[in-house]
């Protein structure tokens, strides 16, 4: 087994996947620490900001696997590799080990860093960040991610939309990759203070944006797009570890 250590922010579950192509599916989450982006509305600052680095554990595949097995009771399910940006961690050996045990792997990344082991995933969710994030998309790096994954996983696009500029960005992204299923997600304006277990979420604000987004897509006759809220936010707010 690989000796490379993986920087882990938290491992939790099983719970349901709250968004995108696998919404509702029982899942254990392995959230890695560290990100090459710093989005203005990031809702996982505890896995991004170096201020929380002392909470991130460098873990071996064996150590992660012990925890995944404990949480899942040893019954295979889908493991979501999230972050931060999980693509900056050495996850190939973990995926190989889990597959041998019958588990499946989904990974979500913004598409800024491509890895050969993307081809070993079962699901790759590419979530390029729209203008409201304050980040600029490197489409060449994004294309590299698609190339790495070409022979392997199902691939989906997921784009968070806060406003008209984000919506226009989503349309441009969809026109670049018309073969990929597209999920639009209304933005959540109330990221939690990372140390708070139960941050208050403006659910009505999220639902207002959801209604606005559904109307936009419908009025545009954009029938290829699927619009989904973050289910876990509606159920639990911005609580960590659910
Ligand atoms: Fe946060 Fe994701 Fe942006 Fe990284 S890419 S800063 S994890 S929202």
């Amino acid at each position: 087994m690989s000796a490379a250590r993986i920087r882990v922010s938290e491992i939790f579950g099983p719970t349901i996947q709250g968004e995108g192509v696998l919404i509702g599916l029982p899942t254990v989450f392995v959230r890695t620490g560290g990100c090459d982006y710093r989005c203005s509305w990031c809702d996982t600052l505890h896995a991004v900001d170096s201020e929380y680095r002392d909470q991130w554990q460098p873990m071996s595949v064996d150590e992660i696997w012990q925890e995944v097995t404990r949480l899942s009771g040893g019954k295979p399910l889908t493991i979501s590799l999230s972050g931060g940006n999980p693509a900056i961690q050495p996850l190939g050996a973990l995926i190989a080990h889990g597959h041998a045990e019958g588990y499946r792997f989904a990974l979500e990344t913004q598409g800024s860093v491509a890895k050969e082991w993307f081809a070993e995933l079962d699901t790759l969710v590419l979530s390029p960040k729209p203008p409201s994030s304050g980040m600029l998309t490197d489409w060449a790096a994004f294309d590299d991610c698609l190339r790495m994954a070409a022979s392997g996983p199902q691939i989906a696009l997921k784009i968070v939309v806060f406003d008209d500029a984000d919506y226009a960005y989503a349309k441009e992204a969809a026109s670049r990759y018309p073969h990929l299923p597209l999920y639009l997600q209304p933005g959540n304006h109330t990221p939690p203070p990372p140390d708070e277990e139960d941050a208050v979420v403006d659910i009505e604000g999220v639902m207002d944006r959801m209604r606005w987004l559904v109307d936009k897509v419908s009025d545009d006759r954009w029938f290829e797009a699927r619009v989904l809220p973050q289910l876990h936010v509606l159920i639990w707010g911005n609580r960590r570890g659910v």
Side-chain angles (χ1 to χ4, degrees):
M1 200 170 290
S2 166
R5 293 199 158 243
I6 297 163
R7 206 164 49 188
V8 175
S9 166
E10 56 185 344
I11 303 175
F12 62 91
T15 183
I16 54 166
Q17 171 57 257
E19 56 194 56
V21 61
L22 300 180
I23 193 166
L25 191 69
T27 299
V28 164
F29 287 81
V30 176
R31 186 185 301 288
T32 61
C35 188
D36 47 322
Y37 273 24
R38 188 66 156 78
C39 301
S40 62
W41 34 252
C42 178
D43 60 358
T44 53
L45 276 180
H46 61 286
V48 170
D49 199 323
S50 55
E51 187 184 335
Y52 300 92
R53 186 180 279 264
D54 59 357
Q55 298 175 11
W56 306 342
Q57 300 291 327
M59 295 177 75
S60 67
V61 170
D62 273 341
E63 288 166 341
I64 293 172
W65 202 252
Q66 274 177 23
E67 185 60 3
V68 167
T69 303
R70 186 184 72 77
L71 291 170
S72 64
K75 185 172 180 186
L77 82 174
T78 294
I79 298 171
S80 176
L81 303 167
S82 63
N85 184 2
I88 63 178
Q89 299 296 320
L91 295 174
L94 177 67
I95 294 166
H97 185 80
H99 275 161
E101 304 275 335
Y103 288 70
R104 296 172 64 78
F105 287 86
L107 179 136
E108 177 168 331
T109 177
Q110 62 266 42
S112 56
V113 177
K115 289 287 173 68
E116 283 180 10
W117 48 258
F118 282 2
E120 309 306 321
L121 292 162
D122 298 284
T123 302
L124 174 64
V125 177
L126 291 170
S127 182
K129 302 308 176 194
S132 64
S133 70
M135 298 290 115
L136 279 179
T137 304
D138 177 347
W139 290 112
F142 196 89
D143 287 343
D144 283 344
C145 292
L146 285 170
R147 255 193 303 279
M148 290 296 180
S151 61
Q154 66 166 162
I155 304 174
L157 271 183
K158 191 190 77 181
I159 301 178
V160 173
V161 177
F162 280 92
D163 53 27
D164 283 317
D166 290 356
Y167 184 83
Y169 171 94
K171 284 219 123 174
E172 188 209 331
S175 68
R176 278 176 179 268
Y177 308 106
H179 58 293
L180 294 180
L182 171 70
Y183 294 79
L184 300 179
Q185 182 174 293
N188 170 5
H189 260 306
T190 50
D195 290 333
E196 284 190 20
E197 286 284 303
D198 286 296
V200 175
V201 176
D202 175 16
I203 295 291
E204 198 44 45
V206 173
M207 297 317 289
D208 276 350
R209 204 163 301 111
M210 178 76 191
R211 287 185 282 268
W212 167 79
L213 193 48
V214 170
D215 285 347
K216 290 275 287 184
V217 166
S218 302
D219 291 348
D220 271 358
R221 305 285 186 265
W222 192 7
F223 298 144
E224 296 79 18
R226 295 169 207 212
V227 186
L228 282 178
Q230 288 176 297
L231 189 54
H232 55 289
V233 169
L234 300 185
I235 300 171
W236 292 291
N238 273 332
R239 235 167 97 185
R240 279 173 64 172
V242 289

